[in-house]
Amino acid sequence: MKQPSKVAKSAKAASRPNARLPAKDLAQVRAITATANARTSSKALLLSGSNAAAAAESIARELRRDLFRVDLAAVVSRSIGETQKNIDRLFAEAEANDAILLFDEADALLGRRSEVRDAHDRYANIEIGYLLQRIEEHRSLVLLVSKPKLTLPVALQRRFSIYRFPPAD
């Protein structure tokens, strides 16, 4: 297996113990992984909460798959069209390695869609739209981790299966 590029760094999820998650969270992780490979609809999971990052690592460990943590700073470019090329490379690399993609701090990413005031806003919205399209087309699992109280527009909520860590009672 080749090493991930600069846009995705291997998180080495398999080497970390499960002890960081409470039993309730581990039970939810196991329920997610039990259905992850059988999913035909949404393969994008939005994990929110204080234990979401640890849950993402546990999901990769349970599925015995590499976890590529996406470096958004390396993906986004000022050059028009370059961000889309970086996104394409990222997804191609994940597919070639049968790896799970992890977008940490997804609230910053998903909150970037804005009202168009100038050309920069327009291209930023196009890039986010392109990323969301690639997530939907991707054949493998994509995990997005966000802060505990992320509020998404309804249009975005339909694109993801949303899980909270710790789970609500």
Side-chain angles (χ1 to χ4, degrees):
M1 179 179 80
K2 70 177 191 172
Q3 289 291 12
S5 67
K6 65 179 181 176
V7 295
K9 301 203 181 348
S10 179
K12 299 293 183 199
S15 64
R16 295 188 182 150
N18 272 339
R20 294 179 11 186
L21 285 177
K24 199 175 193 181
D25 290 348
L26 278 175
Q28 186 171 355
V29 163
R30 288 189 181 107
I32 292 168
T33 58
T35 60
N37 287 329
R39 281 184 199 279
T40 56
S41 58
S42 177
K43 291 246 183 187
L45 308 180
L46 177 64
L47 312 176
S48 70
S50 56
N51 294 336
E57 292 172 0
S58 291
I59 289 169
R61 188 174 32 261
E62 290 279 327
L63 293 172
R64 292 185 174 90
R65 307 250 308 274
D66 287 333
L67 183 68
F68 285 2
R69 187 177 303 270
V70 178
D71 180 6
L72 289 174
V75 172
V76 177
S77 173
R78 290 183 181 262
S79 302
I80 295 173
E82 195 63 31
T83 299
Q84 283 91 343
K85 289 178 187 175
N86 291 340
I87 290 170
D88 286 339
R89 268 185 251 138
L90 171 69
F91 281 90
E93 187 175 341
E95 286 182 13
N97 289 288
D98 194 31
I100 297 171
L101 286 174
L102 171 64
F103 290 87
D104 204 352
E105 302 293 331
D107 42 318
L109 177 70
L110 298 174
R112 287 178 60 182
R113 285 181 140 182
S114 61
E115 183 180 318
V116 177
R117 293 189 184 106
D118 61 17
H120 292 85
D121 294 337
R122 181 172 169 263
Y123 284 112
N125 287 345
I126 289 170
E127 290 167 351
I128 297 301
Y130 185 74
L131 176 62
L132 292 171
Q133 175 188 343
R134 284 305 309 259
I135 287 172
E136 285 182 351
E137 293 170 354
H138 188 57
R139 292 185 301 239
S140 190
L141 197 59
V142 177
L143 304 176
L144 297 101
V145 174
S146 75
K147 64 185 177 182
K149 296 195 179 192
L150 177 66
T151 53
L152 289 176
V154 175
L156 285 178
Q157 288 179 17
R158 289 184 293 220
R159 294 178 184 242
F160 308 113
S161 295
I162 301 172
Y163 298 94
R164 307 220 183 283
F165 289 90
D169 291 324

